[in-house]
Amino acid sequence: MPTDVDADAAQLRSAMAKALAENGVLADPAWRQAVETVPRHHFVPGFYVPSGTRDEQGLTVWEPVTAEMNYGRWLAAAYSDTTLITQFDGDEPDWKAPHARHGGAPTSSSTLPSLVVRMWEDAEVTEGHTVLEIGTGTGYSTALACERLGSADVTSIEVDARRLKQAASALFGLGYTPTLAVADGLYGYWPQAPFDRIVAACSFRAVPPALLAQIRPGGKILLTLSGWLYGYARVLLTAGGDGTAEGPLLPGTVSFMSARTHAAPVFGNPAHWAADLPEKRRTARHSPERITAATEETFHLRFLAQCAVPDAQLVTVGDVVHLVDVVTGSAAVLNPEGGRWEVHEDGPVRLWERIETVLDAYDEAGRPGPETFTLRIDACGGQNLRHLRLPGLMLPRP
């Protein structure tokens, strides 16, 4: 590695901050100063990028990138507005002797800088606030908060002890001294509570009650809601002080890795679920492409559909779409037939019928965007998604 890495990094960091500002990301001068100051490369000694090829089993091959392997590529990526995958399946890499990965689920990353700053800004974090960050990851986002607020007002928790150890080393090495702890984000962090702001860099199926108990009245919680259909929505809640909270869904298509205790369970071979379905079928009112296509509206619709069938998972095998629910044992299969879709389903929950009811209501309401919805949490813990022209949708119990 060249001896002038910090000098090279400073130039790239300045260029990145300028580009982000030109794109309207760094409207607040204090956050721009933080981005210009915090050396991201200290937090990513290595990461994975897709090679563009697949192995003999069809799995994506991920190439490791480190300074020793390719200095220019490593440093340029560290100062690009890109998410850098740093871990798969909970396996901590040895960046001194890295090897390629074949397939796997990403479980830790350094989130793209524009989104990191956007999260802090959307949560309306400013000087004097005490904050809890859920999901330390590499520690880069934590460092930005420390730079802006001062380390004494920042607490960051991470469920993976090995991840936190590496993040702590980078943070402390740069002089940042936030409170760090190995903890499950579902339970927040009582020793430092209450907080003015709670920001989560992972997603939850529903808002964890512990977070509501650890936020000051009038404080704000920013987190991403997701589920087993991989529909996502960001919500900014304001705490009422009596266990209640309310706030809007935010626009945009942001996704985060699930909190590990909220990850989807393995459901087995979808053919086994389909084998027990009755032969009787009907013509589907809506194509499954309404919730599977790669569009911004679909991204939003998948979240609404997920609220109706919170325990369902979806997988496509060839042209056939399978929905399975490991909690109730329900299943549905959709087959393309001459320009239409045929569905047959069975179990206590008619999965596709429930999703179609949501799609019907959504269309009748004029296809409202996420920013027109409000999440309300009542004193009994109920979490209701509200819209003036749509029936109430419930989130699953935390």
Side-chain angles (χ1 to χ4, degrees):
M1 183 190 301
T3 57
D4 57 351
V5 58
D6 286 333
D8 293 343
Q11 294 182 1
L12 292 173
R13 190 161 59 251
S14 177
M16 181 180 75
K18 180 181 178 182
L20 293 177
E22 290 174 349
N23 289 331
V25 175
L26 298 176
D28 185 335
W31 285 118
R32 177 165 182 169
Q33 186 273 333
V35 171
E36 290 175 336
T37 302
V38 176
R40 191 186 186 201
H41 67 282
H42 281 260
F43 297 91
V44 284
F47 47 85
Y48 292 100
V49 296
S51 67
T53 62
R54 294 182 179 272
D55 64 14
E56 61 277 6
Q57 295 179 313
L59 300 175
T60 299
V61 177
W62 294 83
E63 295 177 342
V65 177
T66 67
E68 289 72 20
M69 297 174 70
N70 188 324
Y71 171 76
R73 186 185 190 188
W74 166 75
L75 196 61
Y79 291 100
S80 64
D81 192 29
T82 306
T83 292
L84 304 174
I85 305 298
T86 55
Q87 187 193 77
F88 286 90
D89 300 321
D91 297 330
E92 189 66 20
D94 177 4
W95 292 117
K96 295 180 180 179
H99 58 82
R101 293 280 314 200
H102 291 239
T107 48
S108 189
S109 66
S110 176
T111 303
L112 66 160
S114 62
L115 178 53
V116 170
V117 174
R118 178 179 167 188
M119 293 288 286
W120 290 125
E121 288 186 331
D122 285 347
E124 301 172 13
V125 172
T126 191
E127 289 80 359
H129 283 156
T130 56
V131 303
L132 170 65
E133 177 188 42
I134 299 173
T136 312
T138 65
Y140 174 66
S141 175
T142 317
L144 291 176
C146 290
E147 186 66 34
R148 172 69 188 268
L149 305 175
S151 297
D153 287 335
V154 178
T155 298
S156 186
I157 60 175
E158 168 62 48
V159 72
D160 188 321
R162 295 167 300 174
R163 283 277 78 214
L164 189 67
K165 181 179 180 180
Q166 182 169 310
S169 177
L171 286 162
F172 297 157
L174 292 167
Y176 300 117
T177 56
T179 297
L180 301 175
V182 177
D184 188 328
L186 262 66
Y187 306 106
Y189 196 62
W190 280 104
Q192 296 297 114
F195 301 97
D196 297 303
R197 297 290 187 269
I198 298 176
V199 177
C202 61
S203 63
F204 299 99
R205 298 184 72 208
V207 181
L211 303 188
L212 297 170
Q214 294 176 30
I215 193 78
R216 287 193 176 94
K220 296 182 184 293
I221 301 172
L222 177 67
L223 50 74
T224 302
L225 298 169
S226 68
W228 298 346
L229 288 184
Y230 299 103
Y232 296 87
R234 285 195 313 147
V235 62
L236 180 62
L237 295 167
T238 299
D242 54 357
T244 65
E246 188 169 358
L249 300 190
L250 302 182
T253 55
V254 171
S255 61
F256 278 101
M257 299 170 192
S258 294
R260 296 191 187 183
T261 45
H262 276 195
V266 177
F267 59 80
N269 187 339
H272 296 168
W273 294 78
D276 293 330
L277 292 176
E279 287 299 319
K280 185 179 179 181
R281 60 178 65 187
R282 65 176 176 84
T283 299
R285 298 196 305 277
H286 295 276
S287 160
E289 293 169 346
R290 291 290 305 273
I291 63 169
T292 61
T295 68
E296 186 167 333
E297 182 184 48
T298 296
F299 190 93
H300 171 48
L301 263 180
R302 194 156 58 245
F303 174 74
L304 299 182
Q306 184 175 270
C307 293
V309 289
D311 300 319
Q313 299 182 64
L314 182 148
V315 63
T316 301
V317 181
D319 294 329
V320 181
V321 176
H322 298 257
L323 282 163
V324 299
D325 181 339
V326 300
V327 175
T328 67
S330 304
V333 173
L334 292 101
N335 294 275
E337 298 282 353
R340 65 183 188 280
W341 287 85
E342 296 290 317
V343 57
H344 56 139
E345 52 192 332
D346 196 18
V349 179
R350 294 298 191 263
L351 299 173
W352 191 247
E353 185 175 320
R354 281 200 180 182
I355 290 176
E356 286 188 316
T357 299
V358 171
L359 295 176
D360 288 341
Y362 172 78
D363 290 342
E364 291 171 7
R367 300 189 170 190
E371 64 279 0
T372 65
F373 289 81
T374 299
L375 180 64
R376 166 72 180 173
I377 303 176
D378 61 40
C380 296
Q383 304 192 12
N384 297 278
L385 196 61
R386 295 182 173 183
H387 188 276
L388 291 176
R389 300 182 62 188
L390 279 174
L393 292 169
M394 292 286 293
L395 297 186
R397 282 285 176 176

